[in-house]
Amino acid sequence: MADRKRGHFITLEGGEGVGKSTLQSALAARLAATGLEVVTTREPGGTPLAELVRELALHPPRGNNWSPMAEALLMNAARSDHLDKVVRPALESGKWVICDRFSDSTRVYQSVKGGVPIDVLKGFEEWVIGETQPDLTFVLDAPPSTTDARRLSRDQAKDSFETRSSAFHAEVRAAFIDLAKSEPERCRLIDASQPAAVVADTVWSDIQGLLSQKISAR
Ligand code: TMP
């Protein structure tokens, strides 16, 4: 985006249990320590309405399932509200936004896995996201030996997405790897099987580049 005063938009992607939330907290703390204002948020969610959509999408009433197309529409409805009310205002006021999941998750879960044509999703992206594309996306990747243990150790009730089979999670993992490799300018593929502090250090060094641009633009 041309506006040099705009903040920066970082998205964290990957399958369940790769450590996105832990990384988000670590990055937010490091950015805040440099004096920058940071907003941490997530998708689906991030606004009262989008959190309602999250609940509806992830926890449909027992015996009911959304079609992949309906899921894609729900994710984009939530995203539109989130972008309008949280992400764009924060970026416009110069803040950094770190978002746990964004449109790459829609591509992986609803298109690669769900079968919604990618062109349909690209159409949604054009209208819903427009120019508010992430500056950098960190795609966290870890083997099942790491992610299964993390998923099982969560004490929150599993949502309908997390109760899927290990074959499903393996396909999601492969789809995220492909996606990261297909957009090397924006995406960094991170080995998230390393200790959390090492993951944060690795990601932080990529962010340093953006940070120095930001400081020189002040
Ligand atoms: P999480 O926030 O705990 O990672 O869970 C969110 C779930 O929602 C996860 O299984 C991925 C799924 N999801 C989609 O299917 N499409 C999307 O566009 C997004 C943002 C998430």
Side-chain angles (χ1 to χ4, degrees):
M1 200 177 273
D3 179 3
R4 301 289 294 156
K5 284 191 191 146
R6 174 190 181 266
H8 284 98
F9 188 21
I10 310 285
T11 57
L12 309 179
E13 297 277 11
E16 282 87 5
V18 290
K20 294 185 299 299
S21 313
T22 306
L23 176 63
Q24 186 182 40
S25 306
L27 291 182
R30 291 193 192 201
L31 285 166
T34 70
L36 292 163
E37 285 188 272
V38 188
V39 172
T40 56
T41 187
R42 69 173 181 179
E43 289 210 349
T47 66
L49 289 179
E51 289 291 334
L52 284 174
V53 174
R54 177 189 178 93
E55 183 60 24
L56 202 57
L58 271 50
H59 301 279
R62 188 176 289 273
N64 292 275
N65 284 305
W66 296 104
S67 70
M69 179 61 87
E71 281 175 5
L73 289 162
L74 287 169
M75 298 298 167
N76 276 284
R79 181 162 302 138
S80 178
D81 195 59
H82 184 220
L83 284 165
D84 283 351
K85 294 176 182 163
V86 173
V87 178
R88 291 191 183 106
L91 293 174
E92 278 157 21
S93 65
K95 294 176 186 162
W96 284 59
V97 176
I98 309 177
C99 190
D100 182 343
R101 296 194 182 281
F102 194 57
S103 53
D104 295 314
S105 283
T106 322
R107 288 190 180 199
V108 166
Y109 289 90
Q110 278 70 52
S111 180
V112 180
K113 283 304 303 154
V116 175
I118 190 66
D119 287 347
V120 171
L121 292 191
K122 285 184 178 171
F124 292 162
E125 287 175 13
E126 209 176 307
W127 285 100
V128 174
I129 302 173
E131 292 188 354
T132 318
Q133 297 290 343
D135 296 296
L136 266 182
T137 296
F138 295 98
V139 179
L140 274 58
D141 175 63
S145 52
T146 304
T147 54
D148 287 355
R150 286 185 188 150
R151 274 205 308 271
L152 290 172
S153 72
R154 287 183 187 175
D155 46 19
Q156 74 217 39
K158 286 188 166 187
D159 60 45
S160 66
F161 291 71
E162 286 190 320
T163 52
R164 285 163 165 165
S165 68
S166 44
F168 177 91
H169 290 296
E171 286 175 55
V172 164
R173 182 186 179 200
F176 272 117
I177 293 173
D178 286 349
L179 195 150
K181 289 183 176 166
S182 72
E183 287 196 50
E185 288 290 303
R186 173 176 65 86
C187 297
R188 306 281 183 276
L189 188 60
I190 303 293
D191 176 2
S193 66
Q194 306 172 98
V198 178
V199 172
D201 281 346
T202 309
V203 167
W204 184 244
S205 63
D206 272 320
I207 292 202
Q208 293 292 309
L210 272 183
L211 194 59
S212 52
Q213 283 172 31
K214 179 74 186 171
I215 286 168
S216 64
R218 272 181 185 165

